[in-house]
Amino acid sequence: MTDVLAVADAKRGTVAGVSREVVTVARTLADRLGGSVDVAVPGASGAGLAGWGADRVLQFDTGDDGGGGPAPFAAALADHVGGHGYAAVLFAATATGRDLAPRVAAGLGVSLLTDCTAVEVADGAIVVTRPVFAGKALSRVRALATPVLLSIRPNVFPPRKEPREAAVRQMSISANRTPAGYRVVGFEASRGAALDVSEATIVVSGGRGMKGPEHWHLLAGLRDAIGETAALGASRAVVDAGWRPHAEQVGQTGKTVTPKLYFAIAISGAIQHLAGMRTSGVIVAVNRDPDAPIFGVADYGIVGDAFEVVPKLADAIRELRQD
Amino acid sequence: MNITVCVKRVPDTETRIRIAEDGRDIVADGVKYVLSPYDEFAIEAALQLTEEAGTGEVTLLSFGPEATKESLRSGLALGADRAVLLKGEPTVDGWATARVLASELAGGDAGLVLFGVKAVDDDQQQVGPMVAELLERPCATSVTAMEVGDGMVTCRRAAEGGQEVIEMDLPAVATLTKGKYEPRYASLRGIMMAKRKPLIEKEAPAVEPGLVVEGLEYPPPRPDGRIVGEGGEAVGELVRLLREEAKVL
Ligand SMILES: Cc1cc2nc3c(=O)[nH]c(=O)nc-3n(C[C@H](O)[C@H](O)[C@H](O)COP(=O)(O)OP(=O)(O)OC[C@H]3O[C@@H](n4cnc5c(N)ncnc54)[C@H](O)[C@@H]3O)c2cc1C
Ligand SMILES: Nc1ncnc2c1ncn2[C@@H]1O[C@H](COP(=O)(O)O)[C@@H](O)[C@H]1O
């Protein structure tokens, strides 16, 4: 049992960028164990993932445009994994992966380690590190049974190019395993949010100090200056006030983000907000209160009025881009 | 329709976490425990759905130590009708917890079993859908609003990039996140009544965990930050640092 299965993260037919990170971690593990890497993709895409170190791409035709929800793919994965003997099965800890992984684990009757920030092989066993208690501690955990099912936190493991000639194989889904009674009947795209805050490599978050939703164009201006890798985030105070949708909330009762750069603009830095962003690469805080707790975790801070600083910051970054 | 809500007792999010000497657990002394915040959304959803329907009972179910009774009483004070405590020590293994809870739920008459999307201690985000698989019921995760119709429930769920609308045949399972259901506060009357509501205690069935905690550590401290300057004048230097020192722009 040395092979590793990476489950691609695909939503609405498109393979998400985070899948490369999953394949990269699978490759690293398989190299340590001396096995090969399979990638499971719902639908007919995913051949490009061979570029990140996959030996085989398994295309699972769910046949129903995802209208049956995650259950058909989960059941097919459990069937496939049960018959193959993988050492590990890896998911992305995204909304899609979080919905899928526990169903596969239960289908197989094994435990699941979610949201891992480190994965290593120690004495032949896979040991993971995962943040617990809102990031106030890190837990090193080992699974007793195989396969080890785990999901990795997005943006933590840098994807590594490793082109291979991967074989592409079609996998069928046995209809009789499909639990009935679940139908996707609609989807409403959130307004304006092209990129989910949990997937962005740069996040511009605003807090209550922005004073009202009518000032969000300042933050949107900064995001636009940075470009399409950036997304907007918000503190809970902002979401509770109805200024921004909950999908943008960062923190314990919102999303956990790990961008390479996080801007906390007029956010005080309450423990529950830190829970969602403290593992970011670089944290920048702009706050007019020099004693705001956010400065305790920020790598760089500006003490000042967001209404003055943010437009200047957007201009400066735009200039930088033009050079 | 009766609804069961699975709730977990967890350290309050404000609590300082101290790692015990054996390095595998936290020091429970001095920790304030509460119901996991997402479970409060689930309780609120159950209360609103039964209130709208005008019928049906809300049962709280928890697997935890004796002290969980206190948290269950606080849930009863919000308006739940009865509570069941499966006494035992949950581990970090959500699959083990799921089997304990499913053993109790299997024979039950709940049309809906609700969960929080995650418990904020171990943050595993898995128990709800695992229980659903064990009970062979459909399960919608990250649900923000629900409406019960004839033999089915319509759920809105937070998906990447938007809201998905799901229909499920009853009986069904859902995990709740923040959305329509803002938790209410307990009224004085509610707190008084909670004392007389049934709280059934049973021993939890023994289930072997499949995960072993090798150790707990504090996260590495972030390198000391620095205040670049004050106001708009500091912007130039900040951008230079982000580009040349941190190399993120
Ligand atoms: C169970 C629970 C879960 C929670 N979950 C979350 C969560 O997921 N995410 C979250 O964010 N919070 C969460 N919270 C809430 C958290 O405790 C804080 O209340 C919240 O983060 C505060 O938001 P804020 O920083 O925007 O507002 P405030 O604390 O009001 O801070 C506003 C900041 O803006 C600064 N400011 C004001 N004007 C200006 C200006 N012109 N220019 C620059 N700076 C300015 C102020 O100095 C201040 O620091 C949770 C709380 C609980 C109890
Ligand atoms: N010990 C437990 N007792 C009752 N419900 C639980 C327990 N552990 C987890 N749950 C439920 O499962 C949800 C998700 O928990 P988790 O998968 O541990 O993040 C929680 O919000 C609860 O609704």
Side-chain angles (χ1 to χ4, degrees), chain A residues 132-307:
Chain A
V132 292
F133 301 109
K136 285 182 258 185
L138 298 174
S139 179
R140 273 170 53 82
V141 195
R142 189 159 51 88
L144 296 173
T146 45
V148 178
L149 264 62
L150 59 93
S151 66
I152 60 160
R153 182 175 284 192
N155 288 334
V156 171
F157 301 88
R160 200 179 55 234
K161 274 217 171 88
E162 211 181 309
R164 307 213 160 198
E165 285 290 324
V168 176
R169 213 174 110 192
Q170 295 331 305
M171 311 291 287
S172 63
I173 289 188
S174 52
N176 57 352
R177 280 283 309 270
T178 306
Y182 185 106
R183 299 170 291 279
V184 182
V185 295
F187 180 73
E188 293 160 25
S190 23
R191 45 184 160 103
L195 184 64
D196 194 86
V197 62
S198 59
E199 290 165 40
T201 52
I202 300 184
V203 172
V204 178
S205 274
R208 178 150 48 198
M210 290 306 296
K211 312 253 170 359
E214 67 277 18
H215 299 130
W216 240 256
H217 69 274
L218 297 172
L219 301 177
L222 177 54
R223 177 203 56 192
D224 294 343
I226 297 165
E228 52 195 32
T229 53
L232 290 176
S235 73
R236 168 160 159 185
V238 162
V239 173
D240 282 355
W243 300 352
R244 300 298 301 175
H246 179 243
E248 288 178 11
Q249 184 179 318
V250 172
Q252 182 152 50
T253 41
K255 298 215 166 111
T256 304
V257 301
T258 315
K260 65 175 186 185
L261 176 57
Y262 186 89
F263 287 97
I265 313 282
I267 290 177
S268 60
I271 185 84
Q272 297 90 353
H273 188 79
L274 302 187
M277 46 64 81
R278 71 187 316 154
T279 52
S280 302
V282 173
I283 297 172
V284 173
V286 178
N287 198 301
R288 67 175 183 200
D289 173 7
D291 296 325
I294 191 72
F295 288 122
V297 297
D299 300 277
Y300 304 108
I302 291 185
V303 178
D305 186 349
F307 293 86

Side-chain angles (χ1 to χ4, degrees), chain A residues 114 130, chain B residues 5-10 36-40 42 61-65 68 85-86 88-94 97-98 100-101 114-131 174-176:
Chain A
T114 57
R130 40 187 316 278
Chain B
V5 187
C6 293
V7 296
K8 189 177 190 192
R9 172 181 178 269
V10 300
S36 186
Y38 290 96
D39 300 353
E40 294 188 348
L61 172 63
S62 190
F63 164 39
T68 308
L85 173 61
L86 305 175
E89 289 293 337
T91 64
V92 295
D93 186 6
T97 298
V100 170
L101 295 175
L114 303 183
F115 293 81
V117 72
K118 64 176 171 187
V120 303
D121 50 357
D122 297 322
D123 224 341
Q124 284 276 40
Q125 308 206 26
Q126 51 179 248
V127 170
M130 283 176 165
V131 169
T175 75
L176 272 290

Side-chain angles (χ1 to χ4, degrees), chain A residues 12-77:
Chain A
R12 321 208 142 259
T14 331
V15 171
V18 65
S19 305
R20 298 179 207 151
E21 298 164 29
V22 183
V23 176
T24 294
V25 178
R27 183 76 260 164
T28 310
L29 272 183
D31 286 347
R32 285 294 309 271
L33 300 165
S36 59
V37 173
D38 289 354
V39 191
V41 195
S45 51
L49 290 170
W52 309 87
D55 300 298
R56 289 201 304 172
V57 176
L58 312 178
Q59 297 178 334
F60 287 79
D61 182 13
T62 40
D64 67 346
D65 311 327
F73 186 38
L77 279 173

